[in-house]
Amino acid sequence: MFMRRRPLARPVVRPAGAPLLRGALVGGAAYAAGRSAARNARREQDQEQAIADLQYQQQAERQPSQAAPAAPPPPPQAPAASPSGGQADAGGLTEQLARLGALAQQGLLTSEEFAAAKAKLLGV
């Protein structure tokens, strides 16, 4: 007689929310991995910035010791009016006066300080 055999694969019965749960688990894991990668990238960027700052500080500390044997720069002189360079001096003077005006408007200079600095620039 014939004996009935069991089917090779049994149907798996899953609850209705199983695909949703699986998606949440996969999405949560992807979110955590992305957040971890962003945190590591930010930490690495901060370290690189700190290294760059330290290198800059060390270079700045070395600069004076290397420049010490050289002759000191000449003292700044009052701008002399020359027929050929009058336009360039006027542009620099205008920029300096504009900067002074901006500082006075921001409240960083008093009116007396502004007047003194302006007189010094104009040579009055």
mmCIF file of all heavy atoms in Angstrom, residues 26-40:
data_model
loop_
_atom_site.group_PDB
_atom_site.id
_atom_site.type_symbol
_atom_site.label_atom_id
_atom_site.label_comp_id
_atom_site.label_asym_id
_atom_site.label_seq_id
_atom_site.Cartn_x
_atom_site.Cartn_y
_atom_site.Cartn_z
ATOM 1 N N VAL A 26 16.324 46.261 10.139
ATOM 2 C CA VAL A 26 17.333 46.581 9.126
ATOM 3 C C VAL A 26 17.543 48.092 9.056
ATOM 4 O O VAL A 26 18.674 48.577 9.012
ATOM 5 C CB VAL A 26 16.923 46.010 7.750
ATOM 6 C CG1 VAL A 26 17.830 46.531 6.661
ATOM 7 C CG2 VAL A 26 16.943 44.492 7.794
ATOM 8 N N GLY A 27 16.460 48.851 9.066
ATOM 9 C CA GLY A 27 16.566 50.310 9.019
ATOM 10 C C GLY A 27 17.265 50.864 10.248
ATOM 11 O O GLY A 27 18.079 51.784 10.150
ATOM 12 N N GLY A 28 16.964 50.314 11.411
ATOM 13 C CA GLY A 28 17.611 50.764 12.639
ATOM 14 C C GLY A 28 19.102 50.483 12.627
ATOM 15 O O GLY A 28 19.914 51.300 13.051
ATOM 16 N N ALA A 29 19.458 49.301 12.114
ATOM 17 C CA ALA A 29 20.874 48.949 12.036
ATOM 18 C C ALA A 29 21.595 49.873 11.050
ATOM 19 O O ALA A 29 22.719 50.319 11.309
ATOM 20 C CB ALA A 29 21.033 47.494 11.617
ATOM 21 N N ALA A 30 20.956 50.173 9.925
ATOM 22 C CA ALA A 30 21.563 51.070 8.941
ATOM 23 C C ALA A 30 21.709 52.475 9.515
ATOM 24 O O ALA A 30 22.726 53.140 9.309
ATOM 25 C CB ALA A 30 20.733 51.101 7.666
ATOM 26 N N TYR A 31 20.709 52.919 10.261
ATOM 27 C CA TYR A 31 20.771 54.237 10.888
ATOM 28 C C TYR A 31 21.924 54.296 11.882
ATOM 29 O O TYR A 31 22.704 55.258 11.901
ATOM 30 C CB TYR A 31 19.445 54.541 11.593
ATOM 31 C CG TYR A 31 19.473 55.790 12.437
ATOM 32 C CD1 TYR A 31 19.406 57.047 11.843
ATOM 33 C CD2 TYR A 31 19.587 55.727 13.821
ATOM 34 C CE1 TYR A 31 19.440 58.192 12.603
ATOM 35 C CE2 TYR A 31 19.625 56.861 14.590
ATOM 36 C CZ TYR A 31 19.548 58.097 13.984
ATOM 37 O OH TYR A 31 19.592 59.227 14.741
ATOM 38 N N ALA A 32 22.048 53.270 12.708
ATOM 39 C CA ALA A 32 23.122 53.240 13.702
ATOM 40 C C ALA A 32 24.488 53.208 13.027
ATOM 41 O O ALA A 32 25.422 53.892 13.471
ATOM 42 C CB ALA A 32 22.953 52.042 14.621
ATOM 43 N N ALA A 33 24.608 52.435 11.950
ATOM 44 C CA ALA A 33 25.892 52.362 11.248
ATOM 45 C C ALA A 33 26.242 53.712 10.617
ATOM 46 O O ALA A 33 27.388 54.160 10.682
ATOM 47 C CB ALA A 33 25.839 51.280 10.181
ATOM 48 N N GLY A 34 25.267 54.370 10.014
ATOM 49 C CA GLY A 34 25.501 55.682 9.414
ATOM 50 C C GLY A 34 25.871 56.721 10.456
ATOM 51 O O GLY A 34 26.760 57.545 10.251
ATOM 52 N N ARG A 35 25.202 56.682 11.575
ATOM 53 C CA ARG A 35 25.492 57.638 12.638
ATOM 54 C C ARG A 35 26.890 57.409 13.206
ATOM 55 O O ARG A 35 27.626 58.350 13.482
ATOM 56 C CB ARG A 35 24.442 57.502 13.724
ATOM 57 C CG ARG A 35 24.514 58.568 14.740
ATOM 58 C CD ARG A 35 23.300 58.594 15.589
ATOM 59 N NE ARG A 35 23.532 59.581 16.630
ATOM 60 C CZ ARG A 35 22.631 60.004 17.448
ATOM 61 N NH1 ARG A 35 21.417 59.551 17.350
ATOM 62 N NH2 ARG A 35 22.910 60.893 18.358
ATOM 63 N N SER A 36 27.249 56.146 13.360
ATOM 64 C CA SER A 36 28.586 55.812 13.848
ATOM 65 C C SER A 36 29.654 56.278 12.863
ATOM 66 O O SER A 36 30.683 56.826 13.265
ATOM 67 C CB SER A 36 28.700 54.311 14.076
ATOM 68 O OG SER A 36 30.003 53.958 14.449
ATOM 69 N N ALA A 37 29.409 56.082 11.576
ATOM 70 C CA ALA A 37 30.370 56.523 10.561
ATOM 71 C C ALA A 37 30.506 58.043 10.573
ATOM 72 O O ALA A 37 31.616 58.577 10.456
ATOM 73 C CB ALA A 37 29.935 56.042 9.179
ATOM 74 N N ALA A 38 29.399 58.748 10.736
ATOM 75 C CA ALA A 38 29.444 60.214 10.784
ATOM 76 C C ALA A 38 30.202 60.680 12.024
ATOM 77 O O ALA A 38 30.987 61.636 11.957
ATOM 78 C CB ALA A 38 28.025 60.781 10.790
ATOM 79 N N ARG A 39 29.980 60.013 13.149
ATOM 80 C CA ARG A 39 30.676 60.369 14.386
ATOM 81 C C ARG A 39 32.180 60.150 14.224
ATOM 82 O O ARG A 39 32.986 60.987 14.621
ATOM 83 C CB ARG A 39 30.142 59.538 15.539
ATOM 84 C CG ARG A 39 30.651 59.968 16.889
ATOM 85 C CD ARG A 39 30.110 59.130 18.066
ATOM 86 N NE ARG A 39 28.738 58.718 17.926
ATOM 87 C CZ ARG A 39 28.340 57.443 17.823
ATOM 88 N NH1 ARG A 39 29.208 56.470 17.826
ATOM 89 N NH2 ARG A 39 27.056 57.143 17.715
ATOM 90 N N ASN A 40 32.554 59.028 13.611
ATOM 91 C CA ASN A 40 33.975 58.749 13.395
ATOM 92 C C ASN A 40 34.596 59.762 12.436
ATOM 93 O O ASN A 40 35.726 60.203 12.638
ATOM 94 C CB ASN A 40 34.164 57.331 12.865
ATOM 95 C CG ASN A 40 33.886 56.286 13.924
ATOM 96 O OD1 ASN A 40 33.901 56.576 15.112
ATOM 97 N ND2 ASN A 40 33.608 55.069 13.499
#
